[in-house]
Every structure is written in C-alpha cells, then in structure tokens.
Amino acid sequence: MSMWVFGYGSLLWNPGFEVAQSVIGTLPDYARSFCMRSIHHRGTEEAPGLVLALDQQLGKACEGVALEVTAGLEDQTLTYLRERELISSAYVEKELTVQLVDGREVIAVVYVIDETHEQYCGDLALEEQAQIIARAIGGRGPNTEYLYNTAEHLMSVGLHDPALEWLATRVREIAV
C-alpha cells in the first residue's frame, strides 16, 4: 500500500523526500491559515513568524497536493517528516482521508495544528499576519519567502486561495 502525504504549505514546494506522483486533492473539514507562530523555521522565540497550519473547521475544505512517497522510502520519509514538522509539537500527525481530483480517495499523513499549543494563534486578522510575515526571519530564512513560495506554487497548480493571495500582495507592499 502506498504512503501519501498531504501538502498544503511548504511541502508543496519543498517536500524534502522522493515523490512518486503528486495529485491535487482536497482535505475535508480543515482550513489552511497562518495560525501557527514559527519560532524555529520562519521566526525566533523573540520575534516569531507565522507558518501555515490546518485548523479543524467542519464544513470547510483545504485544497492542496497529495504526494505519494516513492516505494521503499516510507520509513525514511516518515522519520524525516517527523523531525521537520514535529520540532515543537505544535503540529499533530494524523492519517486522514484526502479526496483526489481524479476521483480516488487516499489515506494521507497530514500535519494539523494543536489548538491547545502555545504557538497556536488562530484569531489574527490578515493585516496583523501581513505585518508579522513581512519582518520575521528564522532558521530556514525569511517568512516572506515561505509565503511567496506557497502562494506561487498554489497558483501554478491551479489552486486559488484568496487569503494567501491577499497576504502575498500586502506583504510585498510593506516588506522591509
């Protein structure tokens, strides 16, 4: 049985593992948003940035890309993903059903936000998000790079996320 990973943020443009195939998919009952303070990759403890996470919201859906892991690399990929995504325990690893654009359904490894974690910040207005993203820098680089790469990759695969598009435009106006 194939291992799948659902990408909705940086996994879209930087999976970090060998992908056998990628297929547009929808994860029901979750919404993508900048609801996690980043104190490692795109910010610091003193000046946190923001990264995308999936907030459970019944009736909503997140469009992203289901990534099939190359056969034989499942254990190595899962180890890599856990080191990358679970660095501060703000994400929770789940196996959820993703509906692929071609009609298939797959069980995918998905990283969703722990709403009880101190890094959760699900109530920030878009302008406040833009101000934070425009200035934050972390171990993997500027927060702006994360936003721009994600927004551009979503558009390149034909996915439309109005909030991300607004943020990318606004951050370009104010970034220092």
Side-chain angles (χ1 to χ4, degrees):
M1 188 167 148
S2 296
M3 177 182 166
W4 291 83
V5 177
F6 184 68
Y8 59 87
S10 63
L11 288 173
L12 294 169
W13 47 270
N14 181 26
F17 58 89
E18 272 191 53
V19 176
Q21 68 172 314
S22 61
V23 183
I24 301 294
T26 302
L27 178 66
D29 296 325
Y30 285 87
R32 170 185 29 242
S33 69
F34 278 98
C35 63
M36 181 174 138
R37 295 189 191 281
S38 178
I39 59 173
H40 299 287
H41 298 315
R42 299 296 174 168
T44 63
E45 287 190 29
E46 299 76 29
L50 293 173
V51 290
L52 293 165
L54 291 173
D55 235 342
Q56 187 166 23
Q57 295 182 15
L58 299 180
K60 299 273 184 159
C62 177
E63 292 182 311
V65 178
L67 307 165
E68 183 183 23
V69 176
T70 299
L73 299 178
E74 296 87 354
D75 290 343
Q76 173 184 329
T77 298
L78 198 53
T79 298
Y80 163 77
L81 287 171
R82 286 175 174 162
E83 288 172 2
R84 171 179 167 167
E85 302 297 329
L86 302 179
I87 188 169
S88 67
S89 303
Y91 285 126
V92 176
E93 181 182 284
K94 293 190 173 194
E95 291 188 348
L96 300 171
T97 301
V98 175
Q99 301 162 347
L100 303 184
V101 72
D102 62 16
R104 291 180 291 165
E105 286 189 347
V106 297
I107 303 298
V109 175
V110 182
Y111 293 94
V112 304
I113 190 71
D114 175 356
E115 294 178 8
T116 66
H117 196 277
E118 63 186 12
Q119 287 174 253
Y120 177 70
C121 56
D123 57 352
L124 299 178
L126 284 176
E127 179 62 29
E128 186 176 355
Q129 293 174 38
Q131 294 293 330
I132 293 168
I133 293 168
R135 290 165 179 78
I137 300 172
R140 290 202 176 184
N143 209 169
T144 55
E145 174 186 78
Y146 176 91
L147 167 63
Y148 299 155
N149 281 339
T150 303
E152 288 166 14
H153 193 82
L154 283 170
M155 285 189 288
S156 77
V157 298
L159 298 179
H160 182 61
D161 187 319
L164 247 61
E165 292 166 17
W166 184 91
L167 279 168
T169 299
R170 180 67 180 133
V171 168
R172 281 187 173 93
E173 295 170 356
I174 63 173
V176 292

